[in-house]
Amino acid sequence: MMNYLRLLLISCVFLGTLSAAHAQGKITGVVTDSITHEPLAFASVFLANTTLGATTTEQGKFEFPKVPAGTYDIVGSYVGYGLAKKNITVTREAQQVDLQLAPTGNQLGEVVVKPEPNKPEEYKEFTNLFLGGTTFSEKCHISNPESVRVMYDDSTKELTARAKEFVQIDNDALGYRLKYYGLQFSYNREDGSIFYYGQPVFEEMTPRDEKQRKLWAANRMMAYKGSFMHFLRSVYANRVQAEGFMTQQIIISQNPKFERADKQRQALTAQHPDGKFTTAEQDSIETWESIAPVIASLNQNPLPIDSIRRASPTGKRVYLRFTGELQVAHFGEAPDPQYKRPMSPLGYPKTPIPPGPRQVSRLKLQGKEAAIQANGTLLNPLDVFNGEYWGFEKIGEFLPIDYTPGAAGLAPARQ
């Protein structure tokens, strides 16, 4: 069976939605201390997973004059305080959102215990898993490693990481500085599962010259094309085929060889309660254990759009809907050179397909369907698991939800 990656890093913060009509709304508010109710000057306020951020005035006030209509997490942060977060829906009507931050500083006289430094091998394992192994990920680095606490629990076989305030990642491939607030990271060495959670905000980096500005723009487009965000936007807009995607049904069935192999393994094991096997017997056991209980095959016929997409009668709500598992291929975009796994181990349809390179991923729904936002995000991130190529892409390809292909969103080059 395919191991699916639950990417809460990339998913749980995907809450914004862009209006088809590009409607915008205004947000104002005040950040205060939850106990004294005094305003907090120069606090950071941002819309999670976007490039939209603000700093409060001396009176604790903030303003977002033009926010695309949709649903967002608005987050407040201040040194010595816990994060404050509210889920808001932006419309054309202006609204006020006040945030109260709870102090977390030490009480007077309390002894402060400085944590032990991270073990180099554990920190390296964390960064490899968190940043990823793509070509773009290699150009990402954490600029405040002292803020990250990495720990390993030998009893649970779990590697965890936390940050006191935020983890700052500079992506020199895409030109983004990512501040990842409230990081919660865990990796289980036994089953290989990875869990990410937090509230990130993107900042545009300033290119050193025009050449770098163009490179960043090209790399962002490369990261976008064929991505999960690109696919969901294509489903929402009913442009799956036009955008170069093809979906096929994966058929999961019982492996007829598994039951017989399992009986043979159990019988041989029962003959040797001491666990001492000959070399030939050990080879047989390893062969039997390598036989999977189920096998996957591919329906050769590409799925029509109405087999994976459901829209409400008004067309305002769109859902990703399918049974079982899907294989999703995107044509025209080559996979990253660092991706060493076979591309589409289940094969391709016998019908003619576009020539050239392709990226192949795999999807599984948690329930019957998943609501899609217009900007290519999920209303409930836990509704979908992805694997193969989409499971391989991580921080190096991480784009803000307000990214628009071809938009002139890059900061000007330094003169």
Side-chain angles (χ1 to χ4, degrees), residues 110-158:
E110 183 177 343
V111 177
V112 178
V113 179
K114 188 176 181 180
E116 296 180 2
N118 295 318
K119 294 181 179 179
E121 64 276 10
E122 293 176 357
Y123 181 79
K124 182 178 181 180
E125 184 177 15
F126 157 69
T127 57
N128 289 341
L129 293 166
F130 181 54
L131 299 179
T134 70
T135 301
F136 288 168
S137 293
E138 291 177 352
K139 297 183 179 180
C140 297
H141 65 275
I142 296 175
S143 59
N144 61 338
E146 71 284 350
S147 299
V148 184
R149 182 74 178 102
V150 181
M151 296 169 287
Y152 178 70
D153 189 330
D154 191 58
S155 61
T156 62
K157 308 300 180 184
E158 190 171 65

Side-chain angles (χ1 to χ4, degrees), residues 239-293:
R239 288 181 50 83
V240 171
Q241 185 176 357
E243 293 294 327
F245 289 99
M246 181 179 66
T247 59
Q248 294 170 266
Q249 186 74 52
I250 295 174
I251 303 169
I252 305 296
S253 57
Q254 297 295 320
N255 188 347
K257 297 180 180 179
F258 174 76
E259 185 176 356
R260 182 169 177 268
D262 192 49
K263 288 181 178 179
Q264 291 175 318
R265 180 188 60 80
Q266 291 183 31
L268 184 58
T269 302
Q271 296 175 16
H272 300 275
D274 56 358
K276 296 181 179 179
F277 302 99
T278 65
T279 301
E281 289 172 337
Q282 186 62 45
D283 290 343
S284 296
I285 290 176
E286 291 177 0
T287 300
W288 294 330
E289 289 180 340
S290 67
I291 298 176

Side-chain angles (χ1 to χ4, degrees), residues 55-333:
T55 302
T56 59
T57 66
E58 292 184 354
Q59 292 75 39
K61 297 181 180 180
F62 65 89
E63 176 180 314
F64 293 93
K66 294 181 180 180
V67 179
T71 303
Y72 299 86
D73 271 350
I74 184 168
V75 183
S77 172
Y78 196 75
V79 176
Y81 288 77
L83 294 178
K85 180 178 69 173
K86 286 186 178 180
N87 186 252
I88 61 171
T89 298
V90 177
T91 64
R92 296 178 186 271
E93 301 294 326
Q95 61 178 303
Q96 178 161 330
V97 181
D98 295 336
L99 298 171
Q100 294 186 340
L101 276 61
T104 58
N106 298 304
Q107 300 297 319
L108 186 63
E110 183 177 343
V111 177
V112 178
V113 179
K114 188 176 181 180
E116 296 180 2
N118 295 318
K119 294 181 179 179
E121 64 276 10
E122 293 176 357
Y123 181 79
K124 182 178 181 180
E125 184 177 15
F126 157 69
T127 57
N128 289 341
L129 293 166
F130 181 54
L131 299 179
T134 70
T135 301
F136 288 168
S137 293
E138 291 177 352
K139 297 183 179 180
C140 297
H141 65 275
I142 296 175
S143 59
N144 61 338
E146 71 284 350
S147 299
V148 184
R149 182 74 178 102
V150 181
M151 296 169 287
Y152 178 70
D153 189 330
D154 191 58
S155 61
T156 62
K157 308 300 180 184
E158 190 171 65
L159 184 77
T160 61
R162 300 289 184 270
K164 185 176 182 181
E165 187 177 359
F166 61 81
V167 180
Q168 180 170 305
I169 306 107
D170 291 345
N171 188 334
D172 294 327
L174 302 185
Y176 287 121
R177 178 168 291 115
L178 178 64
K179 289 184 177 179
Y180 202 84
Y181 289 83
L183 171 69
Q184 296 184 40
F185 169 94
S186 65
Y187 166 66
N188 190 287
R189 289 180 179 174
E190 286 194 334
D191 60 20
S193 61
I194 302 175
F195 172 94
Y196 299 92
Y197 181 78
Q199 289 82 36
V201 61
F202 289 79
E203 297 177 5
E204 293 274 359
M205 296 169 65
T206 303
R208 60 179 175 268
D209 51 33
E210 183 65 12
K211 181 180 179 180
Q212 187 175 56
R213 190 192 71 81
K214 290 181 178 180
L215 177 62
W216 284 350
N219 286 350
R220 291 179 187 182
M221 177 66 81
M222 188 182 300
Y224 173 75
K225 290 184 66 178
S227 67
F228 189 46
M229 176 193 289
H230 184 194
F231 173 70
L232 291 181
R233 288 183 180 182
S234 301
V235 174
Y236 187 93
N238 197 9
R239 288 181 50 83
V240 171
Q241 185 176 357
E243 293 294 327
F245 289 99
M246 181 179 66
T247 59
Q248 294 170 266
Q249 186 74 52
I250 295 174
I251 303 169
I252 305 296
S253 57
Q254 297 295 320
N255 188 347
K257 297 180 180 179
F258 174 76
E259 185 176 356
R260 182 169 177 268
D262 192 49
K263 288 181 178 179
Q264 291 175 318
R265 180 188 60 80
Q266 291 183 31
L268 184 58
T269 302
Q271 296 175 16
H272 300 275
D274 56 358
K276 296 181 179 179
F277 302 99
T278 65
T279 301
E281 289 172 337
Q282 186 62 45
D283 290 343
S284 296
I285 290 176
E286 291 177 0
T287 300
W288 294 330
E289 289 180 340
S290 67
I291 298 176
V294 296
I295 54 177
S297 58
L298 194 65
N299 188 321
Q300 294 297 317
N301 298 315
L303 290 172
I305 186 64
D306 57 4
S307 294
I308 65 169
R309 180 184 186 271
R310 182 178 77 83
S312 65
T314 62
K316 293 183 178 180
R317 294 183 180 274
V318 178
Y319 302 86
L320 183 66
R321 180 195 63 179
F322 57 88
T323 58
E325 302 179 32
L326 286 189
Q327 176 173 288
V328 182
H330 180 259
F331 298 93
E333 189 76 11

